[in-house]
Amino acid sequence: MSAPGSRPSPRVVVIGAGIVGCSLADELTARGWNDVTVLEQGPLPAPGGSTSHAPGLVFRTSPSKTLTAFAQYTVEKFTSLESDGLPCFQPVGGLELATTPERLADLHRRAGYAAAWGVRGEIVDAARCQELWPLLDASVVLGGFHTPGDGLARALHASRAQLDRATARGARFLDRHTVTDIERRDGRVTGVVTDRGVFPADHVVSAAGFWGPVVGRMAGVDVPLQPLAHQYARTGPLPDLSGATAEASKPILRFQDRDLYFREHTDRLGIGSYAHRPLPVDPFAVPAYDEARDRNMEMPSSYPFTPDDWAPSWEDCRRLMPALREAEIESGFNGVFSFTPDGMPVLGESRALRGFWLAEAVWVTHSAGVAKAVAEWMVNGRPTLDVHECDLTRFEEAQRSPAYIRERGSQQFVEVYDVLHPLQPMERPRPLRVSPFHSRQERLGAYFLEGGGWERPHWYEANAELVEGITLPDRDAWSARHWSPIAAAEARATREKVALYDMTPLRRLEVTGPAALDFLDRMTTNNLRKKPGAVTYTLLLDDTGGIRSDLTVARLAPDRFQVGANSPADLDHLLRHAPDGVHVRDITSGTCCVGVWGPLARDLVQPLTPDDFSHEAFGYFRARETYVGHVPVTALRLSYVGELGWELYTTADLGLRLWDTLWEAGRELGVVAAGRSAFNSLRLEKGYRAWGTDMTDEHGPYEAGVGFAVRMDKADFVGRAALERAGEPARRLTPLLLDDPAAVVLGKEPVHVDGTPAGYVTSAAYGYTLGRCVAYAWLPAGLTAGTGVHVEYFGEKVPATVADEPLFDPKMTRIRR
């Protein structure tokens, strides 16, 4: 309820009283939104969803900084909570085991993530592993990663504690209410229909867990998650644990080489397995609570145990722990929980139905952190933490089919404990999206990786002979994976001659209408009030001055703009704010793009076009609609590799003709096709940022090094007031050069300053022109060029030096000629 005279609290209905729904009610009411109703179809306090059977293991360290932060907050919050006289979190620590050299190397990498994201942990030897877990056979263990602050969350107790706090602030929790429909009017949610009445609402949050797709269908909103069943078993009493009185005293344990985890239940062990075949569950066929009991299921999320799936894992358990060789499994079940195509949660407000929010595919580990982020989003307009990896808009249309979600969700289950390379592509379904040049790329021996469903060439085997004469240091096995020295040859060809790059996967939006200029100028930071033919690099900020995205805006006509954007979230954001008369549409799939770059780019393109492509007639950051051979193109004089050239756009049906025209004309110039591997190296030598990797909405323009794209002398724009209030940055995106010409890092490694972790690497690639690995890192402001630091790579401290940028061609003479 609201205090007298205060602004009425919005009416919020949360669907689902599991750990996420209870956490969200607590977070919302703590922020003054007290008119919160939580609806649950099962009985409280254990309504039968994933929370009710969750084993509660909380390992905080993840390759995702966002997931790690969610887990850190969950631990912090649950540590402060009690229910029924019991703490909601037990900090028994975590221990991840390695029984193969590959896993031990991966644990060193995980220790690097921990250091980068602020989690305390250390690599320990086999003897220390056995000291922490005496039941282990140390002879099969090579080492482990010990994180003292991890532990066990009592999920139901944490739910109850937060339920009680939210109730005390005015929230109400109603069990035995089955949601049957979502009411809406004029594109906004207005209420929730249940079997026991209608609940009016200004905001509705689906925190329904694996029932999320069911609730989403009622709202007309896709919820891209696939429920799968996961085996969990308990042993009978173990002699080695006899006399135990505490629920758990040893660290939670992962045996990832065999897809297993372990925790104590006093004198028994609980064991979870991901080693079995994927067991997808249809969320529309999950029984209701009472129906499940009638089927001899303990709860809807607890399917019958399948012993045949368990048998191989049980043998692996016995090999790891001799104490289990005489033990028996006392009970087990196949517990259902949610997976998405990329393994991340699905969060945010639907644009199709305003006021309808998702907080789905969230595990107990991240529950309180997710709830805090969603509550901040609802109350303040944005989370304090970057959540772009979790944004509900992130999947392309081609990635939203039920078949794709099922297949990729099942693969995420398989890969939960796999050692995954940061460039590792998915295996299926491929190919899904291909550019018009795909057949030509296959003939050239393209090595394809995947992103956003697109097949993206990273290098071409046709260029193998160009490697002759290039001397490169040997790479370790990890950095050599999904890499070839051919990338160096393609980078050199770009610097010395001319190369064709397939830039089709880069997102393109068309913004049109009489008010298009006013709209885009208001939404972005740079001055767009230029004559047609101008191209402008600019930023999308939020109200706090954080960088939502960076854009390249080409004014092709007084009321028509082509916008180079990053993610589906950019389209969603512009559509949310576009006024009547402004039309925004994604034209990526119907168009294609070839980047023609290198000192001979003009020699290649000029004979093919009737227009003057000289520097005087067609300057840098200019656009022109013209022809290349028989093909109408939109030519943008841009270069993200630091060389002369153009981005040439045409419609998809003419793409193959455009490629062939350029290829044939370029033969006498030595043209090559070049891939993303060379592109990334060249763009880092120039210091060009990649949104989502180098900068996000957690960062402002000046600390990210893109303040040049902000014009404070223009009319008001989103984020301007926040920039005016901002002080000097405490951190900066900082260029580093690794001192050893043979050293390579890949990204997300911790950076040590004066022996202490002080930041982390964002992007990194070997700079073939410079003969050193280039790494960009978020580090304390004030580090001057020449300052020595260390980048931790698989446990080794690799020396590096802060550098001035741009590292290559600082006067921009190669681009502007």
Side-chain angles (χ1 to χ4, degrees):
M1 304 302 166
S2 303
S6 66
R7 183 177 179 181
S9 174
R11 299 167 300 177
V12 179
V13 174
V14 179
I15 301 172
I19 190 67
V20 178
C22 291
S23 297
L24 181 58
D26 183 48
E27 295 288 339
L28 286 171
T29 55
R31 288 165 174 77
W33 280 26
N34 301 323
D35 191 349
V36 176
T37 300
V38 183
L39 302 175
E40 172 56 57
Q41 64 179 343
L44 291 173
S50 300
T51 302
S52 299
H53 72 244
L57 284 73
V58 177
F59 288 92
R60 291 166 295 167
T61 304
S62 166
S64 166
K65 180 175 178 287
T66 299
L67 288 188
T68 301
F70 285 161
Q72 287 171 307
Y73 182 76
T74 298
V75 168
E76 175 188 333
K77 184 176 187 181
F78 289 2
T79 299
S80 70
L81 298 176
E82 288 187 358
S83 180
D84 297 330
L86 291 173
C88 294
F89 186 78
Q90 296 175 273
V92 293
L95 179 62
E96 302 179 49
L97 299 177
T99 59
T100 65
E102 294 78 12
R103 181 66 63 180
L104 185 59
D106 188 59
L107 293 186
H108 278 285
R109 189 164 62 105
R110 288 182 62 77
Y113 294 145
W117 314 144
V119 175
R120 186 164 69 93
E122 63 174 342
I123 300 295
V124 296
D125 61 16
R128 177 60 175 154
C129 290
Q130 190 176 49
E131 182 181 339
L132 291 164
W133 255 88
L135 278 66
L136 295 175
D137 179 353
S139 68
V140 302
V141 176
L142 300 182
F145 176 43
H146 181 219
T147 45
D150 289 340
L152 288 166
R154 291 188 172 98
L156 285 176
H157 285 76
S159 297
R160 181 58 184 266
Q162 294 178 100
L163 181 156
D164 289 343
R165 296 205 313 188
T167 301
R169 300 188 192 109
R172 58 177 175 166
F173 289 75
L174 304 176
D175 64 1
R176 298 292 189 174
H177 281 65
T178 299
V179 174
T180 59
D181 200 7
I182 306 296
E183 291 188 335
R184 49 197 136 157
R185 185 184 306 113
D186 299 328
R188 283 205 63 89
V189 70
T190 59
V192 177
V193 182
T194 76
D195 58 350
R196 299 174 66 178
V198 178
F199 295 83
D202 303 302
H203 298 271
V204 173
V205 185
S206 178
F210 56 78
W211 283 286
V214 179
V215 175
R217 181 176 291 183
M218 298 176 195
V221 175
D222 288 337
V223 180
L225 68 81
Q226 174 62 53
L228 287 109
H230 156 64
Q231 291 200 302
Y232 192 78
R234 290 196 192 199
T235 69
L238 300 177
D240 294 70
L241 298 179
S242 64
T245 57
E247 180 184 351
S249 60
K250 301 175 184 63
I252 52 177
L253 184 69
R254 275 176 170 166
F255 181 23
Q256 290 148 301
D257 287 322
R258 289 294 182 269
D259 296 311
L260 293 165
Y261 64 81
F262 303 81
R263 60 153 293 178
E264 296 167 283
H265 292 282
T266 314
D267 62 347
R268 295 163 167 80
L269 286 188
I271 307 168
S273 173
Y274 294 98
H276 54 84
R277 61 195 169 95
L279 299 168
V281 172
D282 180 356
F284 293 89
V286 175
Y289 189 91
D290 293 327
E291 183 185 350
R293 302 300 286 261
D294 292 341
R295 295 187 192 179
N296 295 317
M297 296 165 58
E298 185 178 343
M299 62 186 80
S301 64
S302 180
Y303 277 58
F305 195 63
T306 48
D308 289 346
D309 290 311
W310 174 256
S313 290
W314 185 228
E315 291 306 310
D316 289 331
C317 294
R318 288 170 158 174
R319 280 191 288 269
L320 180 68
M321 297 186 191
L324 297 178
R325 290 169 188 170
E326 302 301 322
E328 298 294 336
I329 295 299
E330 188 173 74
S331 63
F333 63 94
N334 290 1
V336 183
F337 62 135
S338 303
F339 286 81
T340 59
D342 60 3
M344 299 293 286
V346 180
L347 312 177
E349 183 191 22
S350 168
R351 179 175 49 82
L353 182 59
R354 302 297 293 273
F356 183 79
W357 296 77
L358 297 181
E360 296 291 6
V362 183
W363 296 6
V364 170
T365 299
H366 311 114
S367 55
V370 163
K372 178 187 177 188
V374 174
E376 290 174 333
W377 209 340
M378 295 174 70
V379 176
N380 302 325
R382 61 150 288 180
T384 53
L385 186 70
D386 165 50
V387 296
H388 81 274
E389 293 175 305
C390 311
D391 195 300
L392 61 85
T393 65
R394 69 186 182 274
F395 297 112
E396 304 284 347
E397 191 65 29
Q399 297 172 307
R400 289 183 169 273
S401 70
Y404 184 96
I405 292 165
R406 180 185 175 95
E407 188 166 8
R408 289 305 306 154
S410 296
Q411 188 63 25
Q412 285 295 326
F413 177 92
V414 171
E415 295 175 351
V416 161
Y417 284 164
D418 285 2
V419 178
L420 298 176
H421 193 275
L423 292 176
Q424 183 168 323
M426 65 182 187
E427 296 177 2
R428 301 182 308 274
R430 290 182 65 194
L432 183 62
R433 307 176 79 188
V434 298
S435 80
F437 323 130
H438 188 257
S439 62
R440 300 295 187 262
Q441 293 164 345
E442 288 185 309
R443 289 184 193 176
L444 294 170
Y447 183 86
F448 291 103
L449 297 179
E450 182 272 343
W454 287 101
E455 295 296 314
R456 301 179 185 224
H458 273 242
W459 67 83
Y460 295 85
E461 289 296 330
N463 296 325
E465 63 182 25
L466 301 179
V467 177
E468 185 177 350
I470 297 178
T471 301
L472 293 172
D474 293 334
R475 286 199 171 207
D476 65 277
W478 186 253
S479 64
R481 195 178 299 184
H482 304 297
W483 173 85
S484 168
I486 295 173
E490 293 173 2
R492 184 169 74 173
T494 308
R495 292 279 188 238
E496 296 179 356
K497 293 183 179 180
V498 61
L500 305 184
Y501 287 82
D502 181 2
M503 306 305 289
T504 300
L506 299 185
R507 186 168 308 279
R508 291 171 293 284
L509 309 178
E510 183 182 70
V511 182
T512 58
L517 174 59
D518 290 339
F519 168 61
L520 287 172
D521 201 49
R522 169 80 174 87
M523 295 294 293
T524 66
T525 60
N526 213 335
N527 176 27
L528 301 185
R529 298 186 181 280
K530 303 170 184 176
K531 294 179 180 179
V535 181
T536 307
Y537 176 79
T538 188
L539 308 173
L540 274 178
L541 303 183
D542 61 27
D543 288 333
T544 71
I547 303 171
R548 290 188 58 98
S549 188
D550 62 341
L551 308 177
T552 302
V553 180
R555 191 177 189 188
L556 302 180
D559 58 358
R560 179 165 60 91
F561 296 81
Q562 179 174 302
V563 178
N566 288 295
S567 73
D570 294 341
L571 173 64
D572 183 83
H573 182 65
L574 293 176
L575 285 171
R576 285 176 186 268
H577 292 88
D580 292 341
V582 172
H583 305 284
V584 183
R585 67 186 185 104
D586 192 326
I587 60 172
T588 309
S589 297
T591 56
C592 59
C593 177
V594 181
V596 184
W597 291 310
L600 301 182
R602 185 174 285 115
D603 300 74
L604 172 54
V605 177
Q606 182 62 83
L608 301 174
T609 180
D611 282 272
D612 186 351
F613 270 50
S614 68
H615 180 65
E616 294 74 20
F618 196 161
Y620 191 52
F621 265 77
R622 299 292 299 172
R624 179 173 296 173
E625 294 181 299
T626 182
Y627 291 86
V628 170
H630 297 91
V631 180
V633 299
T634 299
L636 273 56
R637 175 109 184 256
L638 303 175
S639 175
Y640 287 92
V641 299
E643 296 293 337
L644 170 71
W646 291 264
E647 293 177 358
L648 302 176
Y649 297 88
T650 191
T651 52
D653 59 322
L654 291 168
L656 196 58
R657 183 60 178 260
L658 174 62
W659 180 277
D660 288 346
T661 300
L662 293 167
W663 186 258
E664 290 302 318
R667 282 180 180 272
E668 63 184 29
L669 301 173
V671 70
V672 303
R676 298 290 298 180
S677 187
F679 177 90
N680 199 44
S681 170
L682 297 170
R683 72 104 180 163
L684 281 175
E685 289 184 330
K686 285 298 293 179
Y688 293 140
R689 277 63 166 151
W691 185 86
T693 302
D694 299 316
M695 57 189 186
T696 69
D697 62 7
E698 287 187 1
H699 309 111
Y702 302 111
E703 60 184 351
V706 289
F708 63 87
V710 178
R711 289 290 299 270
M712 297 298 286
D713 59 348
K714 62 175 273 188
D716 194 23
F717 58 87
V718 175
R720 175 178 178 150
L723 296 185
E724 290 174 337
R725 295 190 302 267
E728 283 296 313
R731 59 184 177 178
R732 292 190 186 277
L733 188 60
T734 305
L736 305 175
L737 284 175
L738 271 57
D739 294 351
D740 183 354
V744 175
V745 299
L746 300 180
K748 298 189 178 181
E749 297 86 0
V751 181
H752 298 255
V753 178
D754 296 330
T756 302
Y760 59 91
V761 173
T762 57
S763 295
Y766 198 84
Y768 300 111
T769 316
L770 302 174
R772 292 283 193 282
C773 182
V774 180
Y776 271 78
W778 281 103
L779 291 172
L783 296 181
T784 57
T787 301
V789 300
H790 287 85
V791 181
E792 184 179 335
Y793 183 69
F794 286 92
E796 294 187 13
K797 305 295 194 302
V798 180
T801 302
V802 175
D804 282 323
E805 61 175 340
L807 303 169
F808 176 78
D809 189 24
K811 295 184 179 179
M812 304 285 283
T813 56
R814 299 176 70 89
I815 293 177
R816 294 183 169 124
R817 61 180 175 183

